[in-house]
């Protein structure tokens, strides 16, 4: 089957303006332009659009998606398997949170009691699952299975106060980064404050902190588009700015 912009937009549930932008951006070009000047999309473009929307749902930037789908090594079948795995992880996270809400409702209705630790169990498990999804493979390859398992156990045993402090640290780090980026200097006092907050945030997960490991993680944020997307969704260029600030903070001088 072939689709015009209007028909493909209706099929996918997105605007024709978005499809035109994808074309201009070089992300999704039509199969051909007909004699009337209309963009015409075929099955290959439909399949590619599905992949693009999967990646968008997972939070990747358009720049990262374009780099992935235009790579000569791009494998659509493998990409679908990865999408499936990530969606299963997300479903598991939702299941844990739903169970947590159901327990809280049962307590509020007097049908059961719930400890303060249990109230935050779902959130901590979501953090573990998120970290596994974002950092698991890379950290396991770099630091080993035992280091990751220790980190997960540390997070599971976190108290309510520690959990709240962890959330506040991340919020403060992002706020400091945004302000520092306004100045445009990764060596500024604000930027170095952000790097220190990032160190404190990492220390909630790590048993042992080293400057080299800190700098290595910051570099990974730039090297891997998934990590880049996590920071750059707050503000474009944030991952690189944080990397530069951390390298200045640790004195590693990595490039």
């Amino acid at each position: 089957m072939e689709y015009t912009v209007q028909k493909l937009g209706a099929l996918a549930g997105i605007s024709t303006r978005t499809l035109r932008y994808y074309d201009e951006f070089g992300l999704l070009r039509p199969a051909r332009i007909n004699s009337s000047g209309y963009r015409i999309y075929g099955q290959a473009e439909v399949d590619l659009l599905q992949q693009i929307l999967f990646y968008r749902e997972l939070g990747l930037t358009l720049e990262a998606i374009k780099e992935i789908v235009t790579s000569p090594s791009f494998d659509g079948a493998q990409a679908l398997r990865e999408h499936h795995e990530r969606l299963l992880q997300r479903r598991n996270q939702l299941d844990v949170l739903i169970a947590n809400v159901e327990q809280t409702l049962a307590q509020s209705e007097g049908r059961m009691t719930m400890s303060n630790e249990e109230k935050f169990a779902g959130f901590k498990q979501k953090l573990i699952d998120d970290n596994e999804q974002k950092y698991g493979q890379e950290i396991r390859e770099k630091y080993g299975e035992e280091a990751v398992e220790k980190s997960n156990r540390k997070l599971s045993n976190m108290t309510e106060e520690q959990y709240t402090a962890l959330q506040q640290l991340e919020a403060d780090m992002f706020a400091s980064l945004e302000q520092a980026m306004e100045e445009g200097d990764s060596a500024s006092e604000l930027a170095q404050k952000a790097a220190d907050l990032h160190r404190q945030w990492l220390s909630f997960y790590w048993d042992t902190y080293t400057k080299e490991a800190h700098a290595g993680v910051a570099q990974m944020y730039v090297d891997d588009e998934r990590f880049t997307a996590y920071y750059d969704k707050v503000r474009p260029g944030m991952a690189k700015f944080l990397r530069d600030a951390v390298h200045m903070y640790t004195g590693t001088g990595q490039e």
Side-chain angles (χ1 to χ4, degrees):
M1 283 199 60
E2 292 190 329
Y3 299 86
T4 62
V5 167
Q6 287 78 12
K7 288 183 178 179
L8 183 57
L11 176 70
I14 61 177
S15 69
T16 57
R17 181 180 179 183
T18 296
L19 285 172
R20 291 190 180 96
Y21 178 71
Y22 286 175
D23 182 7
E24 294 167 5
F25 190 68
L27 184 59
L28 178 68
R29 298 196 183 282
R32 61 187 178 87
I33 304 295
N34 69 9
S35 57
S36 300
Y38 291 110
R39 293 173 173 88
I40 302 298
Y41 298 85
Q43 190 59 51
E45 289 71 41
V46 171
D47 293 343
L48 180 56
L49 177 59
Q50 183 192 37
Q51 294 282 6
I52 291 168
L53 296 181
F54 275 139
Y55 282 121
R56 290 295 283 166
E57 182 65 24
L58 293 170
L60 272 67
T61 64
L62 289 182
E63 289 81 2
I65 296 171
K66 181 179 178 181
E67 185 175 343
I68 292 169
V69 301
T70 59
S71 169
S73 62
F74 177 68
D75 182 337
Q78 179 59 34
L80 282 173
R81 284 190 286 270
E82 292 173 359
H83 294 323
H84 182 252
E85 180 62 31
R86 293 184 189 183
L87 289 170
L88 286 176
Q89 290 174 355
R90 184 175 295 179
R91 184 175 71 180
N92 290 338
Q93 292 170 4
L94 289 173
D95 285 343
V96 170
L97 289 175
I98 289 169
N100 193 264
V101 170
E102 288 173 346
Q103 287 178 315
T104 304
L105 282 172
Q107 177 185 269
S108 68
E109 294 168 357
R111 292 184 282 114
M112 67 171 288
T113 58
M114 191 176 187
S115 69
N116 287 335
E117 287 73 19
E118 289 173 326
K119 291 177 182 178
F120 289 91
F123 297 106
K124 289 190 288 187
Q125 186 59 49
K126 184 177 185 301
L127 275 176
I128 291 172
D129 293 339
D130 283 346
N131 288 333
E132 279 291 339
Q133 181 178 338
K134 294 170 189 169
Y135 305 102
Q137 180 180 345
E138 288 77 9
I139 295 297
R140 288 174 191 276
E141 290 174 356
K142 191 164 187 177
Y143 300 108
E145 195 79 23
E146 185 179 354
V148 177
E149 292 306 321
K150 281 184 178 179
S151 173
N152 288 344
R153 285 195 297 271
K154 186 175 181 180
L155 191 51
S156 293
N157 295 327
M158 191 180 294
T159 66
E160 178 183 346
E161 291 76 14
Q162 288 173 324
Y163 175 82
T164 301
L166 178 63
Q167 299 302 299
Q168 188 60 53
L169 263 178
E170 186 172 35
D172 290 346
M173 178 190 70
F174 277 119
S176 296
L177 278 171
E178 285 197 271
Q179 293 177 51
M181 288 181 74
E182 291 289 340
E183 299 177 357
D185 181 6
S186 60
S188 70
E189 184 177 346
L190 265 175
Q192 292 306 292
K193 174 186 176 183
D196 185 65
L197 289 168
H198 187 252
R199 174 194 62 78
Q200 294 177 52
W201 179 78
L202 284 174
S203 295
F204 270 90
Y205 299 99
W206 291 358
D207 262 359
T208 305
Y209 170 86
T210 67
K211 291 181 177 181
E212 292 74 20
H214 189 183
V217 166
Q219 182 63 47
M220 188 170 64
Y221 293 164
V222 176
D223 293 341
D224 191 305
E225 69 275 357
R226 291 169 300 167
F227 304 145
T228 302
Y230 179 72
Y231 287 93
D232 283 12
K233 70 182 179 182
V234 178
R235 178 167 177 158
M238 182 173 281
K240 184 178 184 300
F241 188 87
L242 175 59
R243 187 275 310 272
D244 293 345
V246 168
H247 286 180
M248 183 69 67
Y249 177 83
T250 57
T252 59
Q254 295 188 32
E255 295 295 334

